[in-house]
Amino acid sequence: MKPVEVHRMIEGPQDAPVLVLSGSVGSNLDMWLPQREALSGEYQVISYDHRGHGKSPVPPGPYQIADLAGDVLAMLDQLQIEKAHFCGLSLGGAVGMWLSRYHPHRIDQLVLACTSSWFGTAEYWADRAESVRAEGMDRLAEATLGRWLSKDFTDAGQRTAIRTMVANTPQDGYISACSALGAWDFADQLAEIPTPTLAIAGAEDAATPPDHLRDIAAAIPRSRVVVLDGAAHLANVERPVEFNDLLRAHLLG
């Protein structure tokens, strides 16, 4: 599928190392606010919306992970960036794995957060897409909060912002991304990733449990895993200080 020009935000010094932040299905670049605020003084931070999400174009689906990764490559080419650090969470982690496997010369250090080499069956994601088609994004947004945030996360403002972010995701874009997640099965290719990799799991993440990240770290040759207590799927939001410290340390090599 032809690449699309995704909506992005570039923050930080132009001469600093580049860090690309790639989010979850149903998100937009605002899910990375804790990292953008903390790291944009040290890195040129590029956060972006996947195709079909946020303010990016919504081309006809279905999508594949390779399509979403192709958008990132096109963005780097347009910005004349030869190599970048990459941090992806959930769907964004799949994009990072694909890029590091097939274009390792473009990725410096890789961080895979709350993600998986297999997100579930195609039938599961087809059912999710059908539910969204029938009921819309608003109902999905309420259910998503229970998966993305732990029960002890009580910041009402952030909960409302995340719910709104999911609800405002274009329905067709979300459905098309469900196809990408349902077709994703990368376990047998992890050993081919040469990039130094940090895997971060949320101890209370039911969507991509810690064992998924442990399996990823066990398969990628130059990798390690850290599990953050008190975090569910959006570990970067629930444990931002610890997440950012891990990110900084890994990017420094």
Side-chain angles (χ1 to χ4, degrees), residues 7-232:
H7 174 250
R8 67 257 190 171
M9 184 168 290
I10 304 173
E11 300 163 287
Q14 289 189 347
D15 59 349
V18 177
L19 169 63
V20 176
L21 301 174
S22 180
S24 175
V25 65
S27 75
N28 61 42
L29 54 78
D30 284 342
M31 69 160 275
W32 293 110
L33 279 171
Q35 286 66 53
R36 289 162 48 192
E37 292 172 352
L39 299 171
S40 59
E42 308 158 47
Y43 294 89
Q44 184 181 163
V45 178
I46 303 176
S47 51
Y48 74 96
D49 298 333
H50 294 293
R51 63 168 61 200
H53 288 63
K55 297 180 181 178
S56 285
V58 187
Y63 307 155
Q64 298 295 321
I65 298 299
D67 300 323
L68 277 65
D71 296 339
V72 175
L73 291 172
M75 176 179 72
L76 294 178
D77 288 345
Q78 185 180 18
L79 297 173
Q80 297 183 317
I81 295 169
E82 185 175 334
K83 196 169 191 177
H85 301 304
F86 191 95
C87 175
L89 188 145
S90 196
L91 174 61
V95 172
M97 286 180 249
W98 193 97
L99 287 169
S100 296
R101 166 66 178 88
Y102 291 105
H103 296 270
H105 59 291
R106 306 300 298 271
I107 306 299
D108 195 345
Q109 303 278 341
L110 177 64
V111 178
L112 302 174
C114 303
T115 189
S116 184
S117 61
W118 183 75
F119 292 102
T121 65
E123 290 76 18
Y124 170 85
W125 287 101
D127 288 345
R128 171 80 66 85
E130 187 55 40
S131 175
V132 169
R133 193 175 284 110
E135 300 172 355
M137 291 298 297
D138 197 63
R139 183 164 180 176
L140 174 77
E142 190 62 38
T144 297
L145 283 180
R147 292 192 296 269
W148 282 12
L149 300 171
S150 64
K151 62 182 184 299
D152 294 327
F153 186 75
T154 57
D155 188 319
Q158 287 205 63
R159 293 185 74 93
T160 297
I162 290 167
R163 188 195 183 286
T164 301
M165 176 178 67
V166 178
N168 289 342
T169 300
Q171 180 172 306
D172 288 345
Y174 187 93
I175 289 169
S176 295
C178 284
S179 298
L181 291 166
W184 178 247
D185 188 352
F186 214 63
D188 63 349
Q189 300 196 52
L190 294 174
E192 304 302 320
I193 293 176
T195 313
T197 301
L198 170 65
I200 302 176
E204 299 178 35
D205 185 1
T208 53
D211 279 349
H212 288 222
L213 282 302
R214 293 188 183 103
D215 289 344
I216 288 171
I220 296 176
R222 303 166 66 192
S223 63
R224 69 185 185 101
V225 62
V226 176
V227 180
L228 291 178
D229 293 331

